[in-house]
Amino acid sequence: MRTTTGKTTGIPAQRPPTENGWAPARRRGRRAGAPPRHDAQRRRMARTGWTYTAPSLAVIGAITLFPIVFSLVLSFSEVRIGYGGFVVERLTLDNYLALVRSSDWYYALGFTVFYTVVTVAAEVVLGVLAALVMERLSASRGWMMALMLIPWSMITVVSARLWAYMYDSSYGVITWLLQNLFGANPLILGTPASAIGAMAVADIWKTTPFVAIIVLAGLVMLPRDVYESAEVDGAGPWTMFWRITLPQLRPTIAVAVLFRILQAFGVFDLPFVLTGGGPGIATQSLAVMGYKVLFQDLNIGAGAAIATSTGLLVAGACLLFLKVFRAQVGKEDVA
């Protein structure tokens, strides 16, 4: 306690009394209007986390964004190739104008869309059927999954080479089988229609196990009590599949379809090894066309324009699919 002369007596000062006779307790470490202590601790931990992860995020961002931005700049540029590399001379829209005037680009776009729709639809149907079969297996489910993973785990270049051997018009086993069944010697990879069909079969054979395993993971997570209640109400297998299984599997199937759209729209290695884009340009996808323009014709600006437009088309298709899927799920929730 401080006296009138400014000296301290060593006696602690008494708190001023309140209306009920008790002095208010002093709050330490927090001022009026200051945020709670746990919020400040949370912000401090967030700053520490961002400090540690910022270098890795910067590296990932540079690796991911730099090729995209560089390709976008090249697609709007007139590029000249010289002995010291390529030189960007000026910015121009000629690459995209040449693209929209090219009949080959329209054919590659149509073929890529057709190939994506057909193969993804077939893989979803076959994958759901395979998952329903494996879901009913007990002891042999692991063996079945291991067998189905063999095509999916095979490198696409190897599987394409394998199917090329089987489709070969001289010694291919599929050609031999068709010759013995129908008495003809078909050129499977020599005509446009059969080459497109052969390429779709090879893709469906390889990728259907991927869809089946994703759908199987969703199947085993479905609640069993719903099926027991449906059986008590007298629902048959088809009714339970159509009214219970399929609606609850829609999010899982949507994930599988989204992944497959991304892969199928950018297909390159299968047509490049199996058919080379032929006969003619019958199996030439957008990715194969971009490779030929960029690395064979050495037209860097046009090749970058094909790559950029393909990326925008894939992103637009995925966003449209997600929007339609969310709108459908929202209607079911309201109903």
Side-chain angles (χ1 to χ4, degrees):
M1 181 175 181
R2 191 178 295 276
T3 63
T4 54
T5 58
K7 297 181 180 179
T8 56
T9 59
I11 301 174
Q14 294 183 353
R15 296 168 180 166
T18 57
E19 293 180 355
N20 56 7
W22 293 93
R26 179 179 295 176
R27 295 180 179 178
R28 297 181 178 178
R30 182 182 176 188
R31 295 172 299 176
R37 181 174 300 177
H38 62 276
D39 289 346
Q41 185 178 3
R42 186 181 303 171
R43 284 198 295 269
R44 186 168 58 253
M45 292 179 64
R47 285 196 298 269
T48 305
W50 280 109
T51 302
Y52 282 110
T53 57
S56 58
L57 291 177
V59 173
I60 293 173
I63 295 174
T64 305
L65 296 178
F66 177 75
I68 298 175
V69 175
F70 191 60
S71 176
L72 185 63
V73 172
L74 289 179
S75 68
F76 286 100
S77 304
E78 181 179 345
V79 183
R80 179 177 56 84
I81 299 179
Y83 291 103
F86 59 86
V87 179
V88 177
E89 294 189 337
R90 64 184 179 92
L91 297 178
T92 178
L93 293 175
D94 291 346
N95 296 323
Y96 287 96
L97 293 177
L99 205 64
V100 297
R101 294 170 183 166
S102 172
S103 59
D104 291 349
W105 183 77
Y106 284 109
Y107 180 83
L109 176 62
F111 168 75
T112 305
V113 173
F114 173 77
Y115 175 81
T116 301
V117 172
V118 170
T119 56
V120 172
E123 289 160 7
V124 169
V125 173
L126 295 176
V128 170
L129 293 177
L132 289 173
V133 172
M134 286 194 295
E135 194 263 342
R136 294 181 177 276
L137 299 177
S138 54
S140 58
R141 183 189 299 176
W143 289 100
M144 287 296 297
M145 290 181 62
L147 289 175
M148 293 194 68
L149 280 175
I150 293 176
W152 172 247
S153 61
M154 191 176 295
I155 301 173
T156 305
V157 174
V158 177
S159 65
R161 215 47 258 167
L162 175 67
W163 281 97
Y165 288 138
M166 292 192 294
Y167 288 142
D168 190 89
S169 58
S170 299
Y171 49 82
V173 62
I174 296 178
T175 303
W176 173 82
L177 185 62
L178 294 176
Q179 187 176 7
N180 284 276
L181 289 176
F182 302 105
N185 188 14
L187 297 174
I188 298 177
L189 300 179
T191 59
S194 58
I196 293 173
M199 182 176 154
V201 169
D203 188 278
I204 293 170
W205 171 81
K206 176 176 171 53
T207 320
T208 297
F210 169 75
V211 179
I213 290 174
I214 290 182
V215 175
L216 178 63
L219 270 176
V220 298
M221 298 296 290
L222 297 182
R224 297 292 101 183
D225 53 346
V226 180
Y227 292 96
E228 295 173 358
S229 300
E231 288 181 359
V232 172
D233 294 338
W238 176 252
T239 303
M240 287 192 287
F241 171 76
W242 196 252
R243 298 290 182 86
I244 300 175
T245 305
L246 194 58
Q248 296 187 78
L249 277 180
R250 281 178 182 173
T252 306
I253 296 175
V255 173
V257 170
L258 190 63
F259 275 104
R260 285 299 303 133
I261 289 176
L262 291 172
Q263 292 176 336
F265 211 88
V267 62
F268 171 77
D269 39 10
L270 180 60
F272 186 77
V273 176
L274 183 63
T275 62
I281 58 170
T283 58
Q284 180 172 269
S285 64
L286 287 173
V288 173
M289 181 182 178
Y291 170 82
K292 290 182 177 178
V293 171
L294 189 61
F295 294 103
Q296 294 182 358
D297 300 339
L298 296 179
N299 194 343
I300 295 178
I306 294 174
T308 304
S309 60
T310 304
L312 292 176
L313 289 172
V314 172
C318 292
L319 291 176
L320 179 63
F321 172 77
L322 289 176
K323 187 175 181 180
V324 172
F325 173 74
R326 288 174 180 173
Q328 189 176 5
V329 172
K331 290 180 180 178
E332 292 178 353
D333 292 340
V334 171

